[in-house]
Amino acid sequence: MLARIQTVYLFIAALLAVASMFVPFWSFSAAELVYFRDFGAMEAAGLVQVSASYAAGIFSPLTAIAAIAAIFLYRNRTLQAQLIGLSVVLFVCDLLSGLVAAHFMNEYFEQSAAVSHNPEAGLFMMLPEPVLLWLALKGVKKDDKIANAYKRL
């Protein structure tokens, strides 16, 4: 289990999914600085307002849980591949929910005043996840190919 490279890929993808929950996803600067992140609001010395996406707060941990569960299913490669595929779908839902919420917040702030917005570290932490999941899926398929070749002998 630990000697397989896809275990490392899945573990790093799960760590990135968990870490992206605690870092702001997008920031808006209108009258005050507003950070957008997963889960509930957090007050930071009264200078920064934090808005939250509960949908992204659900999809991020589910992505991490599916990736961690796939690590332990190394004996059932078809189920492991399906869980990796589910992790990719959950990642896409997480990314889209964050981007859609950021878009609507941008529309809301543009109605009241000029607003500038920037992606934050939470978005960039999420971007390597599909690559890592794809590499893990390649590793699972390679293991399956080796096991099937061994069965033919």
Side-chain angles (χ1 to χ4, degrees):
M1 174 175 79
L2 293 176
R4 299 168 54 225
I5 191 68
Q6 58 262 34
T7 301
V8 175
Y9 295 143
L10 289 169
F11 185 71
I12 293 172
L15 282 178
L16 288 173
V18 169
S20 70
M21 291 187 299
F22 301 107
V23 180
F25 183 80
W26 208 274
S27 67
F28 300 92
S29 179
E32 61 183 4
L33 186 61
V34 177
Y35 282 116
F36 175 70
R37 59 173 277 204
D38 292 355
F39 295 120
M42 177 183 75
E43 195 64 36
L47 302 173
V48 176
Q49 181 182 8
V50 177
S51 182
S53 168
Y54 294 107
I58 292 170
F59 289 126
S60 289
L62 287 178
T63 304
I65 290 169
I68 293 293
I71 291 173
F72 296 105
L73 293 172
Y74 61 94
R75 291 187 182 171
N76 190 349
R77 286 179 296 281
T78 56
L79 185 58
Q80 187 179 33
Q82 289 175 349
L83 265 179
I84 293 171
L86 176 67
S87 295
V88 170
V89 169
L90 289 170
F91 162 78
V92 169
C93 292
D94 186 16
L95 183 65
L96 287 178
S97 67
L99 290 175
V100 166
H103 170 72
F104 284 123
M105 285 184 68
N106 186 33
E107 292 293 321
Y108 172 74
F109 286 127
E110 280 184 349
Q111 291 176 357
S112 61
V115 64
S116 66
H117 53 91
N118 298 320
E120 292 291 327
L123 173 67
F124 298 116
M125 290 177 98
M126 291 175 61
L127 294 180
E129 286 179 43
V131 175
L132 292 167
L133 293 170
W134 174 73
L135 289 171
L137 189 59
K138 269 184 68 175
V140 169
K141 292 194 186 265
K142 181 180 171 187
D143 281 355
D144 197 31
K145 185 178 177 182
I146 291 170
N148 288 338
Y150 178 73
K151 288 179 186 176
R152 276 188 247 142
L153 293 176

